[in-house]
Amino acid sequence: MTTITEARVIVTAPGRNYVTLKITTSDGVVGWGDATLNGRELAVAAYLTEHVCPLLVGRDPARIEDTWQFLYKGAYWRRGPVTMTAIAAVDVALWDILGKVAGLPVYKLLGGAARDGVLVYCHATGEDVPALLDDVARHVDQGYLAVRAQAAVPGLAKTYGVPTPDGKLYEPASSALPEEHLWDTAPYLRSAPEMLGAVRERFGFGIHLLHDVHHRLTPIEAGRLGRDLEPHRLFWMEDPTPAEDQAAFRVIRQHTTTPLAVGEVFNSIWDCQQLITERLIDYIRTSVTHAGGITHLRRIFALADLYGVRTGSHGPGDLSPVSLAAALHVDLSVPNFGIQEFMGHREPASEVFRTGYTFENGYLHPGDEPGLGVEVDEEAAARFPYDPRQLPVNRRLDGSVHDW
Ligand code: GCO
Ligand code: MG
């Protein structure tokens, strides 16, 4: 019988930190999984190295569901981002191995392509509205059909989603302590509809327009914003309120028809059960890496399909190309796919991760290489040591801590 002979964690920072799991079988087949949890990378690395990798050696790599249940139920302590990211990395690496053994891309193992390509949305940002409009134009010229628009809030020194003029990431800080940003809801609620209206005025209704609120509003504020955005026909308004309060979405729903998307901070089906079954959202944004891998994500998406909720997986640059590839295989195969976030990866990420996915006319395709279609160059990875960084925190004008 083929068995797992080694499971090992690789931490590398080509452009930013990534945690990768490498699983090798007795037949010499290698599978890759992403275990990156932005800002808490080493917690997942230790969970895998100390508690999970020793359990994998000797197991049959083809028993993917059994391994998932073994790790989830066997830990007794359930859910949580660290546990579920670790299980996801194992799960994705096992799907990669299964595809390589079968000689098939993973999407064919999941039932085959249900569409020709995966519609993606990119990020456009600006220090002010004219700069944002230039950035939207740049992305439209590159062929994107869907654009997330974020602009700095007038009067605030830093706004989520807007990189500094030197092109640095908008998170995380490189110092030992997190950056502290100031937040003020009133100017945001005034400027966001104007900003998104300006995008519609310049580009019309021929592109899909998205916006991320990043969990900063109360339910009634979110209801007001959604209502103010209705004339601009958003594809979605993302994370309007802190996502852990599922019942809060009842209030938002009562006040607006702007479609709602939630889920990047969720890690299990239980986190979104009420949102889905009460039809409180339109898009579920859980990711392969933070929601238990391909096996668990498909379960979430199948539940969502029953209730008319479509998918919109989180795909930021802080998840590795292994994660994006896995997402694309799922996206291509599920019936209720909606859209996939595509932020891309900053160089020198391509020195470490060799990817097979391709972008054309607004759509990504995972490619037809057996498995996920991503390979990791371990020698290159060793050239980019771990670089500890912190996500920022937000404070209100009175100094109290707010959601970032
Ligand atoms: C998104 C997200 C990210 C997160 C980041 C945190 O919609 O892509 O909100 O920008 O902030 O993934 O690590
Ligand atoms: Mg988001």
Side-chain angles (χ1 to χ4, degrees), residues 123-142 147 198-199 202-203:
H123 288 198
T125 62
E127 278 294 311
D128 52 27
V129 172
L132 167 69
L133 296 181
D134 288 349
D135 203 30
V136 175
R138 199 168 59 82
H139 285 95
V140 169
D141 287 347
Q142 288 169 8
V147 180
V199 177
R202 164 100 174 261
F203 297 92

mmCIF file with all atom_site columns, all heavy atoms in Angstrom, residues 123-142 147 198-199 202-203:
data_model
loop_
_atom_site.group_PDB
_atom_site.id
_atom_site.type_symbol
_atom_site.label_atom_id
_atom_site.label_alt_id
_atom_site.label_comp_id
_atom_site.label_asym_id
_atom_site.label_entity_id
_atom_site.label_seq_id
_atom_site.pdbx_PDB_ins_code
_atom_site.Cartn_x
_atom_site.Cartn_y
_atom_site.Cartn_z
_atom_site.occupancy
_atom_site.B_iso_or_equiv
_atom_site.pdbx_formal_charge
_atom_site.auth_seq_id
_atom_site.auth_comp_id
_atom_site.auth_asym_id
_atom_site.auth_atom_id
_atom_site.pdbx_PDB_model_num
ATOM 1   N N   . HIS A 1 123 ? -8.196  44.370 -7.463  1.00 0.00 ? 123 HIS A N   1
ATOM 2   C CA  . HIS A 1 123 ? -8.257  45.498 -6.518  1.00 0.00 ? 123 HIS A CA  1
ATOM 3   C C   . HIS A 1 123 ? -7.819  46.783 -7.204  1.00 0.00 ? 123 HIS A C   1
ATOM 4   O O   . HIS A 1 123 ? -6.701  46.858 -7.704  1.00 0.00 ? 123 HIS A O   1
ATOM 5   C CB  . HIS A 1 123 ? -7.304  45.272 -5.354  1.00 0.00 ? 123 HIS A CB  1
ATOM 6   C CG  . HIS A 1 123 ? -7.748  44.222 -4.392  1.00 0.00 ? 123 HIS A CG  1
ATOM 7   N ND1 . HIS A 1 123 ? -7.227  44.131 -3.119  1.00 0.00 ? 123 HIS A ND1 1
ATOM 8   C CD2 . HIS A 1 123 ? -8.671  43.232 -4.487  1.00 0.00 ? 123 HIS A CD2 1
ATOM 9   C CE1 . HIS A 1 123 ? -7.810  43.119 -2.490  1.00 0.00 ? 123 HIS A CE1 1
ATOM 10  N NE2 . HIS A 1 123 ? -8.681  42.555 -3.299  1.00 0.00 ? 123 HIS A NE2 1
ATOM 11  N N   . ALA A 1 124 ? -8.659  47.805 -7.180  1.00 0.00 ? 124 ALA A N   1
ATOM 12  C CA  . ALA A 1 124 ? -8.239  49.143 -7.616  1.00 0.00 ? 124 ALA A CA  1
ATOM 13  C C   . ALA A 1 124 ? -8.310  50.061 -6.400  1.00 0.00 ? 124 ALA A C   1
ATOM 14  O O   . ALA A 1 124 ? -9.264  49.993 -5.616  1.00 0.00 ? 124 ALA A O   1
ATOM 15  C CB  . ALA A 1 124 ? -9.148  49.653 -8.722  1.00 0.00 ? 124 ALA A CB  1
ATOM 16  N N   . THR A 1 125 ? -7.299  50.911 -6.248  1.00 0.00 ? 125 THR A N   1
ATOM 17  C CA  . THR A 1 125 ? -7.238  51.758 -5.057  1.00 0.00 ? 125 THR A CA  1
ATOM 18  C C   . THR A 1 125 ? -6.734  53.143 -5.433  1.00 0.00 ? 125 THR A C   1
ATOM 19  O O   . THR A 1 125 ? -6.149  53.333 -6.498  1.00 0.00 ? 125 THR A O   1
ATOM 20  C CB  . THR A 1 125 ? -6.250  51.183 -4.019  1.00 0.00 ? 125 THR A CB  1
ATOM 21  O OG1 . THR A 1 125 ? -4.943  51.168 -4.600  1.00 0.00 ? 125 THR A OG1 1
ATOM 22  C CG2 . THR A 1 125 ? -6.623  49.801 -3.581  1.00 0.00 ? 125 THR A CG2 1
ATOM 23  N N   . GLY A 1 126 ? -6.964  54.098 -4.530  1.00 0.00 ? 126 GLY A N   1
ATOM 24  C CA  . GLY A 1 126 ? -6.445  55.437 -4.782  1.00 0.00 ? 126 GLY A CA  1
ATOM 25  C C   . GLY A 1 126 ? -6.387  56.269 -3.527  1.00 0.00 ? 126 GLY A C   1
ATOM 26  O O   . GLY A 1 126 ? -7.232  56.129 -2.637  1.00 0.00 ? 126 GLY A O   1
ATOM 27  N N   . GLU A 1 127 ? -5.392  57.140 -3.472  1.00 0.00 ? 127 GLU A N   1
ATOM 28  C CA  . GLU A 1 127 ? -5.269  58.104 -2.366  1.00 0.00 ? 127 GLU A CA  1
ATOM 29  C C   . GLU A 1 127 ? -6.425  59.098 -2.407  1.00 0.00 ? 127 GLU A C   1
ATOM 30  O O   . GLU A 1 127 ? -6.768  59.720 -1.420  1.00 0.00 ? 127 GLU A O   1
ATOM 31  C CB  . GLU A 1 127 ? -3.945  58.856 -2.489  1.00 0.00 ? 127 GLU A CB  1
ATOM 32  C CG  . GLU A 1 127 ? -2.761  58.100 -1.921  1.00 0.00 ? 127 GLU A CG  1
ATOM 33  C CD  . GLU A 1 127 ? -2.872  57.934 -0.407  1.00 0.00 ? 127 GLU A CD  1
ATOM 34  O OE1 . GLU A 1 127 ? -3.145  58.928 0.299   1.00 0.00 ? 127 GLU A OE1 1
ATOM 35  O OE2 . GLU A 1 127 ? -2.686  56.800 0.067   1.00 0.00 ? 127 GLU A OE2 1
ATOM 36  N N   . ASP A 1 128 ? -6.994  59.286 -3.609  1.00 0.00 ? 128 ASP A N   1
ATOM 37  C CA  . ASP A 1 128 ? -8.204  60.105 -3.754  1.00 0.00 ? 128 ASP A CA  1
ATOM 38  C C   . ASP A 1 128 ? -8.985  59.550 -4.948  1.00 0.00 ? 128 ASP A C   1
ATOM 39  O O   . ASP A 1 128 ? -8.547  58.580 -5.590  1.00 0.00 ? 128 ASP A O   1
ATOM 40  C CB  . ASP A 1 128 ? -7.853  61.596 -3.928  1.00 0.00 ? 128 ASP A CB  1
ATOM 41  C CG  . ASP A 1 128 ? -6.843  61.809 -5.039  1.00 0.00 ? 128 ASP A CG  1
ATOM 42  O OD1 . ASP A 1 128 ? -6.794  60.971 -5.969  1.00 0.00 ? 128 ASP A OD1 1
ATOM 43  O OD2 . ASP A 1 128 ? -6.103  62.805 -4.987  1.00 0.00 ? 128 ASP A OD2 1
ATOM 44  N N   . VAL A 1 129 ? -10.134 60.152 -5.245  1.00 0.00 ? 129 VAL A N   1
ATOM 45  C CA  . VAL A 1 129 ? -10.995 59.590 -6.288  1.00 0.00 ? 129 VAL A CA  1
ATOM 46  C C   . VAL A 1 129 ? -10.335 59.628 -7.674  1.00 0.00 ? 129 VAL A C   1
ATOM 47  O O   . VAL A 1 129 ? -10.358 58.618 -8.391  1.00 0.00 ? 129 VAL A O   1
ATOM 48  C CB  . VAL A 1 129 ? -12.394 60.264 -6.274  1.00 0.00 ? 129 VAL A CB  1
ATOM 49  C CG1 . VAL A 1 129 ? -13.223 59.830 -7.473  1.00 0.00 ? 129 VAL A CG1 1
ATOM 50  C CG2 . VAL A 1 129 ? -13.118 59.910 -4.976  1.00 0.00 ? 129 VAL A CG2 1
ATOM 51  N N   . PRO A 1 130 ? -9.684  60.747 -8.092  1.00 0.00 ? 130 PRO A N   1
ATOM 52  C CA  . PRO A 1 130 ? -9.027  60.714 -9.415  1.00 0.00 ? 130 PRO A CA  1
ATOM 53  C C   . PRO A 1 130 ? -7.981  59.600 -9.523  1.00 0.00 ? 130 PRO A C   1
ATOM 54  O O   . PRO A 1 130 ? -7.892  58.913 -10.550 1.00 0.00 ? 130 PRO A O   1
ATOM 55  C CB  . PRO A 1 130 ? -8.373  62.100 -9.522  1.00 0.00 ? 130 PRO A CB  1
ATOM 56  C CG  . PRO A 1 130 ? -9.181  62.980 -8.611  1.00 0.00 ? 130 PRO A CG  1
ATOM 57  C CD  . PRO A 1 130 ? -9.636  62.098 -7.487  1.00 0.00 ? 130 PRO A CD  1
ATOM 58  N N   . ALA A 1 131 ? -7.202  59.401 -8.464  1.00 0.00 ? 131 ALA A N   1
ATOM 59  C CA  . ALA A 1 131 ? -6.185  58.334 -8.500  1.00 0.00 ? 131 ALA A CA  1
ATOM 60  C C   . ALA A 1 131 ? -6.866  56.963 -8.591  1.00 0.00 ? 131 ALA A C   1
ATOM 61  O O   . ALA A 1 131 ? -6.402  56.074 -9.322  1.00 0.00 ? 131 ALA A O   1
ATOM 62  C CB  . ALA A 1 131 ? -5.307  58.405 -7.263  1.00 0.00 ? 131 ALA A CB  1
ATOM 63  N N   . LEU A 1 132 ? -7.972  56.797 -7.871  1.00 0.00 ? 132 LEU A N   1
ATOM 64  C CA  . LEU A 1 132 ? -8.715  55.529 -7.954  1.00 0.00 ? 132 LEU A CA  1
ATOM 65  C C   . LEU A 1 132 ? -9.217  55.300 -9.380  1.00 0.00 ? 132 LEU A C   1
ATOM 66  O O   . LEU A 1 132 ? -9.094  54.201 -9.924  1.00 0.00 ? 132 LEU A O   1
ATOM 67  C CB  . LEU A 1 132 ? -9.902  55.549 -6.974  1.00 0.00 ? 132 LEU A CB  1
ATOM 68  C CG  . LEU A 1 132 ? -10.924 54.435 -7.194  1.00 0.00 ? 132 LEU A CG  1
ATOM 69  C CD1 . LEU A 1 132 ? -10.337 53.076 -6.841  1.00 0.00 ? 132 LEU A CD1 1
ATOM 70  C CD2 . LEU A 1 132 ? -12.188 54.686 -6.376  1.00 0.00 ? 132 LEU A CD2 1
ATOM 71  N N   . LEU A 1 133 ? -9.766  56.347 -10.002 1.00 0.00 ? 133 LEU A N   1
ATOM 72  C CA  . LEU A 1 133 ? -10.311 56.182 -11.357 1.00 0.00 ? 133 LEU A CA  1
ATOM 73  C C   . LEU A 1 133 ? -9.200  55.774 -12.327 1.00 0.00 ? 133 LEU A C   1
ATOM 74  O O   . LEU A 1 133 ? -9.416  54.934 -13.210 1.00 0.00 ? 133 LEU A O   1
ATOM 75  C CB  . LEU A 1 133 ? -10.989 57.476 -11.821 1.00 0.00 ? 133 LEU A CB  1
ATOM 76  C CG  . LEU A 1 133 ? -12.223 57.894 -10.996 1.00 0.00 ? 133 LEU A CG  1
ATOM 77  C CD1 . LEU A 1 133 ? -12.834 59.181 -11.547 1.00 0.00 ? 133 LEU A CD1 1
ATOM 78  C CD2 . LEU A 1 133 ? -13.279 56.789 -10.946 1.00 0.00 ? 133 LEU A CD2 1
ATOM 79  N N   . ASP A 1 134 ? -8.004  56.341 -12.160 1.00 0.00 ? 134 ASP A N   1
ATOM 80  C CA  . ASP A 1 134 ? -6.868  55.929 -13.006 1.00 0.00 ? 134 ASP A CA  1
ATOM 81  C C   . ASP A 1 134 ? -6.550  54.453 -12.807 1.00 0.00 ? 134 ASP A C   1
ATOM 82  O O   . ASP A 1 134 ? -6.248  53.730 -13.758 1.00 0.00 ? 134 ASP A O   1
ATOM 83  C CB  . ASP A 1 134 ? -5.612  56.745 -12.655 1.00 0.00 ? 134 ASP A CB  1
ATOM 84  C CG  . ASP A 1 134 ? -5.721  58.185 -13.140 1.00 0.00 ? 134 ASP A CG  1
ATOM 85  O OD1 . ASP A 1 134 ? -6.655  58.479 -13.924 1.00 0.00 ? 134 ASP A OD1 1
ATOM 86  O OD2 . ASP A 1 134 ? -4.878  59.016 -12.720 1.00 0.00 ? 134 ASP A OD2 1
ATOM 87  N N   . ASP A 1 135 ? -6.611  54.025 -11.545 1.00 0.00 ? 135 ASP A N   1
ATOM 88  C CA  . ASP A 1 135 ? -6.276  52.631 -11.256 1.00 0.00 ? 135 ASP A CA  1
ATOM 89  C C   . ASP A 1 135 ? -7.354  51.687 -11.805 1.00 0.00 ? 135 ASP A C   1
ATOM 90  O O   . ASP A 1 135 ? -7.035  50.605 -12.315 1.00 0.00 ? 135 ASP A O   1
ATOM 91  C CB  . ASP A 1 135 ? -6.101  52.450 -9.739  1.00 0.00 ? 135 ASP A CB  1
ATOM 92  C CG  . ASP A 1 135 ? -5.232  51.252 -9.423  1.00 0.00 ? 135 ASP A CG  1
ATOM 93  O OD1 . ASP A 1 135 ? -4.337  50.922 -10.234 1.00 0.00 ? 135 ASP A OD1 1
ATOM 94  O OD2 . ASP A 1 135 ? -5.445  50.620 -8.360  1.00 0.00 ? 135 ASP A OD2 1
ATOM 95  N N   . VAL A 1 136 ? -8.618  52.096 -11.720 1.00 0.00 ? 136 VAL A N   1
ATOM 96  C CA  . VAL A 1 136 ? -9.681  51.273 -12.320 1.00 0.00 ? 136 VAL A CA  1
ATOM 97  C C   . VAL A 1 136 ? -9.428  51.165 -13.830 1.00 0.00 ? 136 VAL A C   1
ATOM 98  O O   . VAL A 1 136 ? -9.482  50.068 -14.407 1.00 0.00 ? 136 VAL A O   1
ATOM 99  C CB  . VAL A 1 136 ? -11.079 51.875 -12.050 1.00 0.00 ? 136 VAL A CB  1
ATOM 100 C CG1 . VAL A 1 136 ? -12.163 51.073 -12.797 1.00 0.00 ? 136 VAL A CG1 1
ATOM 101 C CG2 . VAL A 1 136 ? -11.392 51.888 -10.547 1.00 0.00 ? 136 VAL A CG2 1
ATOM 102 N N   . ALA A 1 137 ? -9.092  52.295 -14.469 1.00 0.00 ? 137 ALA A N   1
ATOM 103 C CA  . ALA A 1 137 ? -8.849  52.299 -15.927 1.00 0.00 ? 137 ALA A CA  1
ATOM 104 C C   . ALA A 1 137 ? -7.716  51.331 -16.273 1.00 0.00 ? 137 ALA A C   1
ATOM 105 O O   . ALA A 1 137 ? -7.798  50.569 -17.256 1.00 0.00 ? 137 ALA A O   1
ATOM 106 C CB  . ALA A 1 137 ? -8.513  53.711 -16.398 1.00 0.00 ? 137 ALA A CB  1
ATOM 107 N N   . ARG A 1 138 ? -6.671  51.345 -15.465 1.00 0.00 ? 138 ARG A N   1
ATOM 108 C CA  . ARG A 1 138 ? -5.520  50.465 -15.708 1.00 0.00 ? 138 ARG A CA  1
ATOM 109 C C   . ARG A 1 138 ? -5.969  48.993 -15.675 1.00 0.00 ? 138 ARG A C   1
ATOM 110 O O   . ARG A 1 138 ? -5.595  48.199 -16.540 1.00 0.00 ? 138 ARG A O   1
ATOM 111 C CB  . ARG A 1 138 ? -4.479  50.726 -14.607 1.00 0.00 ? 138 ARG A CB  1
ATOM 112 C CG  . ARG A 1 138 ? -3.081  50.271 -14.904 1.00 0.00 ? 138 ARG A CG  1
ATOM 113 C CD  . ARG A 1 138 ? -2.112  50.854 -13.880 1.00 0.00 ? 138 ARG A CD  1
ATOM 114 N NE  . ARG A 1 138 ? -2.421  50.473 -12.507 1.00 0.00 ? 138 ARG A NE  1
ATOM 115 C CZ  . ARG A 1 138 ? -2.065  49.324 -11.932 1.00 0.00 ? 138 ARG A CZ  1
ATOM 116 N NH1 . ARG A 1 138 ? -1.380  48.446 -12.628 1.00 0.00 ? 138 ARG A NH1 1
ATOM 117 N NH2 . ARG A 1 138 ? -2.386  49.066 -10.684 1.00 0.00 ? 138 ARG A NH2 1
ATOM 118 N N   . HIS A 1 139 ? -6.809  48.657 -14.696 1.00 0.00 ? 139 HIS A N   1
ATOM 119 C CA  . HIS A 1 139 ? -7.254  47.259 -14.585 1.00 0.00 ? 139 HIS A CA  1
ATOM 120 C C   . HIS A 1 139 ? -8.231  46.884 -15.698 1.00 0.00 ? 139 HIS A C   1
ATOM 121 O O   . HIS A 1 139 ? -8.195  45.762 -16.205 1.00 0.00 ? 139 HIS A O   1
ATOM 122 C CB  . HIS A 1 139 ? -7.874  47.013 -13.199 1.00 0.00 ? 139 HIS A CB  1
ATOM 123 C CG  . HIS A 1 139 ? -6.847  46.915 -12.116 1.00 0.00 ? 139 HIS A CG  1
ATOM 124 N ND1 . HIS A 1 139 ? -6.472  47.989 -11.337 1.00 0.00 ? 139 HIS A ND1 1
ATOM 125 C CD2 . HIS A 1 139 ? -6.088  45.869 -11.700 1.00 0.00 ? 139 HIS A CD2 1
ATOM 126 C CE1 . HIS A 1 139 ? -5.528  47.608 -10.489 1.00 0.00 ? 139 HIS A CE1 1
ATOM 127 N NE2 . HIS A 1 139 ? -5.282  46.325 -10.687 1.00 0.00 ? 139 HIS A NE2 1
ATOM 128 N N   . VAL A 1 140 ? -9.088  47.806 -16.069 1.00 0.00 ? 140 VAL A N   1
ATOM 129 C CA  . VAL A 1 140 ? -10.024 47.524 -17.171 1.00 0.00 ? 140 VAL A CA  1
ATOM 130 C C   . VAL A 1 140 ? -9.221  47.283 -18.457 1.00 0.00 ? 140 VAL A C   1
ATOM 131 O O   . VAL A 1 140 ? -9.503  46.351 -19.223 1.00 0.00 ? 140 VAL A O   1
ATOM 132 C CB  . VAL A 1 140 ? -11.038 48.683 -17.327 1.00 0.00 ? 140 VAL A CB  1
ATOM 133 C CG1 . VAL A 1 140 ? -11.845 48.545 -18.612 1.00 0.00 ? 140 VAL A CG1 1
ATOM 134 C CG2 . VAL A 1 140 ? -11.975 48.732 -16.108 1.00 0.00 ? 140 VAL A CG2 1
ATOM 135 N N   . ASP A 1 141 ? -8.168  48.080 -18.653 1.00 0.00 ? 141 ASP A N   1
ATOM 136 C CA  . ASP A 1 141 ? -7.311  47.886 -19.834 1.00 0.00 ? 141 ASP A CA  1
ATOM 137 C C   . ASP A 1 141 ? -6.639  46.511 -19.830 1.00 0.00 ? 141 ASP A C   1
ATOM 138 O O   . ASP A 1 141 ? -6.355  45.942 -20.882 1.00 0.00 ? 141 ASP A O   1
ATOM 139 C CB  . ASP A 1 141 ? -6.205  48.955 -19.889 1.00 0.00 ? 141 ASP A CB  1
ATOM 140 C CG  . ASP A 1 141 ? -6.771  50.313 -20.293 1.00 0.00 ? 141 ASP A CG  1
ATOM 141 O OD1 . ASP A 1 141 ? -7.929  50.348 -20.760 1.00 0.00 ? 141 ASP A OD1 1
ATOM 142 O OD2 . ASP A 1 141 ? -6.055  51.325 -20.116 1.00 0.00 ? 141 ASP A OD2 1
ATOM 143 N N   . GLN A 1 142 ? -6.358  46.011 -18.621 1.00 0.00 ? 142 GLN A N   1
ATOM 144 C CA  . GLN A 1 142 ? -5.725  44.681 -18.538 1.00 0.00 ? 142 GLN A CA  1
ATOM 145 C C   . GLN A 1 142 ? -6.724  43.553 -18.784 1.00 0.00 ? 142 GLN A C   1
ATOM 146 O O   . GLN A 1 142 ? -6.344  42.390 -18.827 1.00 0.00 ? 142 GLN A O   1
ATOM 147 C CB  . GLN A 1 142 ? -5.095  44.490 -17.150 1.00 0.00 ? 142 GLN A CB  1
ATOM 148 C CG  . GLN A 1 142 ? -3.834  45.324 -16.941 1.00 0.00 ? 142 GLN A CG  1
ATOM 149 C CD  . GLN A 1 142 ? -3.392  45.314 -15.473 1.00 0.00 ? 142 GLN A CD  1
ATOM 150 O OE1 . GLN A 1 142 ? -3.936  44.581 -14.647 1.00 0.00 ? 142 GLN A OE1 1
ATOM 151 N NE2 . GLN A 1 142 ? -2.417  46.152 -15.154 1.00 0.00 ? 142 GLN A NE2 1
ATOM 152 N N   . VAL A 1 147 ? -14.124 44.775 -10.640 1.00 0.00 ? 147 VAL A N   1
ATOM 153 C CA  . VAL A 1 147 ? -13.120 45.568 -9.934  1.00 0.00 ? 147 VAL A CA  1
ATOM 154 C C   . VAL A 1 147 ? -13.636 45.919 -8.540  1.00 0.00 ? 147 VAL A C   1
ATOM 155 O O   . VAL A 1 147 ? -14.754 46.413 -8.393  1.00 0.00 ? 147 VAL A O   1
ATOM 156 C CB  . VAL A 1 147 ? -12.833 46.878 -10.708 1.00 0.00 ? 147 VAL A CB  1
ATOM 157 C CG1 . VAL A 1 147 ? -11.794 47.721 -9.980  1.00 0.00 ? 147 VAL A CG1 1
ATOM 158 C CG2 . VAL A 1 147 ? -12.381 46.589 -12.137 1.00 0.00 ? 147 VAL A CG2 1
ATOM 159 N N   . ALA A 1 198 ? -18.623 57.880 -8.514  1.00 0.00 ? 198 ALA A N   1
ATOM 160 C CA  . ALA A 1 198 ? -17.674 58.422 -9.494  1.00 0.00 ? 198 ALA A CA  1
ATOM 161 C C   . ALA A 1 198 ? -17.176 57.319 -10.432 1.00 0.00 ? 198 ALA A C   1
ATOM 162 O O   . ALA A 1 198 ? -16.963 57.552 -11.627 1.00 0.00 ? 198 ALA A O   1
ATOM 163 C CB  . ALA A 1 198 ? -16.501 59.089 -8.765  1.00 0.00 ? 198 ALA A CB  1
ATOM 164 N N   . VAL A 1 199 ? -16.999 56.112 -9.888  1.00 0.00 ? 199 VAL A N   1
ATOM 165 C CA  . VAL A 1 199 ? -16.559 54.990 -10.744 1.00 0.00 ? 199 VAL A CA  1
ATOM 166 C C   . VAL A 1 199 ? -17.645 54.677 -11.780 1.00 0.00 ? 199 VAL A C   1
ATOM 167 O O   . VAL A 1 199 ? -17.371 54.509 -12.971 1.00 0.00 ? 199 VAL A O   1
ATOM 168 C CB  . VAL A 1 199 ? -16.226 53.737 -9.902  1.00 0.00 ? 199 VAL A CB  1
ATOM 169 C CG1 . VAL A 1 199 ? -15.839 52.573 -10.812 1.00 0.00 ? 199 VAL A CG1 1
ATOM 170 C CG2 . VAL A 1 199 ? -15.109 54.037 -8.902  1.00 0.00 ? 199 VAL A CG2 1
ATOM 171 N N   . ARG A 1 202 ? -17.791 57.350 -14.562 1.00 0.00 ? 202 ARG A N   1
ATOM 172 C CA  . ARG A 1 202 ? -16.714 57.277 -15.552 1.00 0.00 ? 202 ARG A CA  1
ATOM 173 C C   . ARG A 1 202 ? -16.777 55.993 -16.386 1.00 0.00 ? 202 ARG A C   1
ATOM 174 O O   . ARG A 1 202 ? -16.543 56.010 -17.585 1.00 0.00 ? 202 ARG A O   1
ATOM 175 C CB  . ARG A 1 202 ? -15.377 57.388 -14.815 1.00 0.00 ? 202 ARG A CB  1
ATOM 176 C CG  . ARG A 1 202 ? -14.171 56.969 -15.588 1.00 0.00 ? 202 ARG A CG  1
ATOM 177 C CD  . ARG A 1 202 ? -13.401 58.140 -16.183 1.00 0.00 ? 202 ARG A CD  1
ATOM 178 N NE  . ARG A 1 202 ? -12.175 57.660 -16.784 1.00 0.00 ? 202 ARG A NE  1
ATOM 179 C CZ  . ARG A 1 202 ? -10.995 57.705 -16.209 1.00 0.00 ? 202 ARG A CZ  1
ATOM 180 N NH1 . ARG A 1 202 ? -10.852 58.260 -15.029 1.00 0.00 ? 202 ARG A NH1 1
ATOM 181 N NH2 . ARG A 1 202 ? -9.939  57.210 -16.825 1.00 0.00 ? 202 ARG A NH2 1
ATOM 182 N N   . PHE A 1 203 ? -17.100 54.856 -15.776 1.00 0.00 ? 203 PHE A N   1
ATOM 183 C CA  . PHE A 1 203 ? -16.989 53.571 -16.480 1.00 0.00 ? 203 PHE A CA  1
ATOM 184 C C   . PHE A 1 203 ? -18.342 52.954 -16.831 1.00 0.00 ? 203 PHE A C   1
ATOM 185 O O   . PHE A 1 203 ? -18.403 51.915 -17.478 1.00 0.00 ? 203 PHE A O   1
ATOM 186 C CB  . PHE A 1 203 ? -16.163 52.574 -15.651 1.00 0.00 ? 203 PHE A CB  1
ATOM 187 C CG  . PHE A 1 203 ? -14.749 53.035 -15.439 1.00 0.00 ? 203 PHE A CG  1
ATOM 188 C CD1 . PHE A 1 203 ? -14.411 53.777 -14.318 1.00 0.00 ? 203 PHE A CD1 1
ATOM 189 C CD2 . PHE A 1 203 ? -13.769 52.774 -16.390 1.00 0.00 ? 203 PHE A CD2 1
ATOM 190 C CE1 . PHE A 1 203 ? -13.113 54.235 -14.128 1.00 0.00 ? 203 PHE A CE1 1
ATOM 191 C CE2 . PHE A 1 203 ? -12.473 53.229 -16.218 1.00 0.00 ? 203 PHE A CE2 1
ATOM 192 C CZ  . PHE A 1 203 ? -12.147 53.972 -15.081 1.00 0.00 ? 203 PHE A CZ  1
#
